[in-house]
Amino acid sequence: MEHQPQGEEQSQSLASYSFVVTGTLQNFTREEIKAYIQSYGGKVAGSVSQKTDYLVAGENAGSKLAKAQELGVQVISEEDLRLLAET
């Protein structure tokens, strides 16, 4: 599966967003999804805070998911991330 933007110019569609990733991912390793988000200009943090815009949640998401829900952080899937990045 292709995880990089097409063409020579990288889109910066995620430049104003901060992400946290949790759970078991289907299409990315942790390093791949971090690189994918950064390739679109997004920031990746290790823990959920009020500054987190999106939590990318895979299967078996645990305490980070609970924290995101507590703080009202939007929880998205890998596919949601791709749509957000590539549109």
Side-chain angles (χ1 to χ4, degrees):
M1 177 174 279
E2 180 64 37
H3 296 306
Q4 295 299 319
Q6 298 298 314
E8 291 186 21
E9 285 193 33
Q10 300 276 58
S11 168
Q12 294 297 295
S13 57
L14 303 180
S16 61
Y17 302 115
S18 175
F19 296 84
V20 174
V21 180
T22 191
T24 304
L25 305 173
Q26 297 296 314
N27 300 305
F28 294 91
T29 65
R30 290 297 168 130
E31 288 304 310
E32 286 172 344
I33 200 161
K34 183 176 179 182
Y36 179 81
I37 291 168
Q38 290 172 337
S39 75
Y40 284 96
K43 295 177 181 65
V44 181
S47 60
V48 177
S49 72
Q50 291 181 330
K51 294 180 181 180
T52 305
D53 295 299
Y54 295 99
L55 176 72
V56 181
E59 291 184 30
N60 302 318
S63 61
K64 289 179 184 177
L65 177 59
K67 181 75 170 179
Q69 291 169 332
E70 178 184 316
L71 293 174
V73 172
Q74 188 167 349
V75 179
I76 62 173
S77 68
E78 292 172 71
E79 186 58 31
D80 294 332
L81 173 63
R82 289 180 61 113
L83 292 171
L84 186 64
E86 296 176 12
T87 56

